[in-house]
Amino acid sequence: GAGVSQTPSNKVTEKGKYVELRCDPISGHTALYWYRQSLGQGPEFLIYFQGTGAADDSGLPNDRFFAVRPEGSVSTLKIQRTERGDSAVYLCASSRGPGGNEQFFGPGTRLTVL
Amino acid sequence: TQLLEQSPQFLSIQEGENLTVYCNSSSVFSSLQWYRQEPGEGPVLLVTVVTGGEVKKLKRLTFQFGDARKDSSLHITAAQPGDTGLYLCAVTRSGTYKYIFGTGTRLKVLA
């Protein structure tokens, strides 16, 4: 069956530009997570959706970062006024439900801000 | 201060050797997960441990949750090149669904 997919796989942008990263979760998975992984580090939690609502957005670093999941399936992570420090791999994961259910990760989007 | 400390940070061994990697914290957790991540891919769940002192085996991998549920170890017997990857532990805080990952152990098994 289809796993979690993320597009684009690579994104190169210039400082100050706006970017959108897309996540297609496994069909039927109600929980969706975004993480950011810097080189040599473990994934860092950004935001968790249960259905359409952001149940926990405490990991978003500042107000330049925003994520939506309008129909409870596909999610988009939006970054405004990108900075060089935003360069990282952005990972998306989905699970059948919250807490304790196995998370299935996508391959990530590698974002490079020049 | 990192909530989950993993050690060693890097490990390079020969095929056939045994190894143990560790995940430590000063906090108590209701459960702990181990993942393996290969380059260009997302982490893949290996196991979830929930009971203090619990031991789980997955082929040549043995996972143990500490009695006090503050730490865990992963032991690999007769390592193979296919075991190469980044090993991550992760926990959720009680009452939240926010997963916190450790810093990872990068393992390389040489043929």
Side-chain angles (χ1 to χ4, degrees), chain A residues 12-31:
Chain A
V12 180
T13 190
E14 294 179 342
K15 180 175 179 293
K17 299 288 188 182
Y18 168 81
V19 296
E20 289 190 352
L21 311 180
R22 177 186 168 109
C23 172
D24 280 85
I26 293 172
S27 179
H29 280 193
T30 61

Side-chain angles (χ1 to χ4, degrees), chain A residues 33 35 37 39-45 48 55-56 58-59 91 98-108 110, chain B residues 2 9 31 33 35 37 40-46 48 86 88 90 92 96-104 106:
Chain A
Y33 301 79
Y35 295 87
Q37 187 172 25
L39 195 62
Q41 301 292 319
E44 174 192 6
F45 171 85
Y48 156 65
D56 186 342
S58 62
L91 293 165
N101 286 279
E102 180 177 356
Q103 291 184 87
F104 294 84
F105 281 83
R110 181 174 296 279
Chain B
Q2 194 75 24
Q9 195 173 353
S31 66
Q33 298 180 328
Y35 292 79
Q37 184 177 22
E41 298 182 8
V44 175
L45 180 67
L46 297 174
T48 301
L86 178 67
L88 296 158
T92 54
T96 78
Y97 303 124
K98 175 179 174 177
Y99 285 82
I100 300 167
F101 282 80
T103 50
R106 192 166 296 280

